[in-house]
Amino acid sequence: MISPNFLDGKHALVTGASSGLGWQFALTLARAGAKVSLAARSTDKLEELAREIEAFDGRALPVRMDVTDVASIQDAVSAAETELGPVNILVNNSGISALSPSESISEEDFDAVMNTNAKGAFFVAQAVGQSMIKHGQGGKMINIASVASKRVLKNNIAYCMSKAAVAHMTAALAEEWGKYKINVNGINPGYIVTGINRDYWETDHGKKLIAKLPRRRVGEPDALDGTLLLLAGPGSDFMNGSMIEVDDGLTVKGF
Ligand SMILES: NC(=O)c1ccc[n+]([C@@H]2O[C@H](COP(=O)([O-])OP(=O)(O)OC[C@H]3O[C@@H](n4cnc5c(N)ncnc54)[C@H](OP(=O)(O)O)[C@@H]3O)[C@@H](O)[C@H]2O)c1
């Protein structure tokens, strides 16, 4: 039986916690009893979230992290561990998108997406993985990819490529780090309303897309709570290298 505070004593680090899914992931883990390190560049937002978590007697630590800067990742992980102890759970969630036809995407946009979503996610996993290996207690890593890791989203080449990389990274790290008791799994979310897409759903194009979705709806960030808690807790001890679709049936329908 899983108790409401089944993550008591665990330290979870969530990247991209200043907004959208990351904000919700951090709240959910804190409500399950985890101490949470909140990582992103917008420290004012992280402080606001920390106050929200402290209001229900949770423990939260804002840490500035730019995932495109490996030194910044290492500094943030080190600051988080100095304050809250070794990281037991990583939610590797920071991400951006750049809509553009493939024939005209700029090098700058391409690099920004790949550096944030693919390279950034790897070096966050590396920094936390080094610590997990050193401490010998294993841990849980949850990589947030997208339905775009398997299926093509129109005019979103760099995003699709970067998310395919995150999914394959999940498999490769699971294979390499299983021997250290590190479980590396991931989630492929479908369309969830957050800062990355909120305005889009109000456009004609956005409304047309909703009409084509399997149940003609987009999700709220708490739609991922159950899967997050599964992958963060003991229920996933025998899972390693799995990517779970939480997409209201989008991947099986096709789009
Ligand atoms: N919403 C969806 O429908 C959906 C679907 C599938 C997958 N996803 C994935 O879910 C993740 C979260 O997206 P979201 O929807 O919650 O979007 P969001 O509301 O725009 O949040 C993105 C987060 O990423 C952080 N971030 C961006 N660049 C960063 C950098 N260089 N260093 C550190 N953090 C950075 C942002 O923080 P700062 O700007 O403060 O740094 C922010 O907290 C992304 O990986 C996204 O691809 C979302």
Side-chain angles (χ1 to χ4, degrees):
M1 175 68 89
I2 292 178
S3 79
N5 291 327
F6 74 108
L7 296 180
D8 250 349
K10 301 288 187 194
H11 175 191
L13 187 147
V14 181
T15 69
S18 61
S19 171
L21 299 186
W23 181 290
Q24 176 68 20
F25 291 148
L27 268 179
T28 302
L29 295 169
R31 287 195 183 110
K35 303 172 276 185
V36 283
S37 288
L38 313 171
R41 295 164 303 177
S42 311
T43 47
D44 52 335
K45 295 278 176 50
L46 300 179
E47 278 156 19
E48 188 187 329
L49 175 57
R51 285 194 291 278
E52 192 172 331
I53 290 171
E54 281 153 11
F56 57 82
D57 290 333
R59 180 89 167 88
L61 178 76
V63 284
R64 189 183 186 285
M65 180 193 289
D66 180 346
V67 301
T68 65
D69 174 352
V70 176
S72 165
I73 294 170
Q74 290 166 344
D75 289 350
V77 171
S78 165
E81 295 204 320
T82 301
E83 199 65 31
L84 299 181
V87 173
N88 310 107
I89 300 161
L90 167 66
V91 186
N92 209 352
N93 165 75
S94 287
I96 61 170
S97 166
L99 281 176
S100 172
S102 294
E103 61 271 29
S104 54
I105 187 168
S106 67
E107 182 179 5
E108 189 185 5
D109 280 354
F110 184 89
D111 283 349
V113 173
M114 294 301 280
N115 286 340
T116 305
N117 299 7
K119 182 181 171 193
F122 172 71
F123 281 100
V124 171
Q126 185 194 58
V128 173
Q130 285 169 347
S131 166
M132 287 178 172
I133 292 166
K134 182 171 130 200
H135 290 99
Q137 301 299 312
K140 305 279 187 179
M141 289 193 182
I142 304 160
N143 296 320
I144 308 303
S146 164
V147 287
S149 69
K150 284 185 157 177
R151 298 277 188 158
V152 172
L153 300 188
K154 207 170 167 211
N155 290 336
N156 222 341
I157 183 73
Y159 187 78
C160 291
M161 289 172 68
S162 71
K163 292 302 186 177
V166 171
H168 212 54
M169 175 185 86
T170 302
L173 292 181
E175 194 281 325
E176 256 190 88
W177 291 349
K179 61 179 177 283
Y180 300 118
K181 294 192 290 182
I182 301 172
N183 296 62
V184 189
N185 295 296
I187 303 176
N188 283 332
Y191 290 115
I192 310 284
V193 182
T194 67
I196 213 169
N197 57 27
R198 190 176 309 277
D199 295 341
Y200 173 72
W201 301 119
E202 299 305 320
T203 65
D204 282 350
H205 198 266
K207 286 178 186 158
K208 277 188 196 143
L209 176 54
I210 291 177
K212 287 190 207 155
L213 297 178
R215 291 198 268 201
R216 297 180 185 196
R217 63 178 186 180
V218 291
E220 295 296 325
D222 64 4
L224 306 178
D225 283 358
T227 312
L228 173 79
L229 292 174
L230 168 71
L231 296 181
S236 58
D237 284 352
F238 203 68
M239 294 174 67
N240 201 20
S242 300
M243 293 299 305
I244 303 179
E245 273 74 45
V246 185
D247 66 359
D248 213 30
L250 186 56
T251 303
V252 288
K253 176 178 181 282
F255 50 95

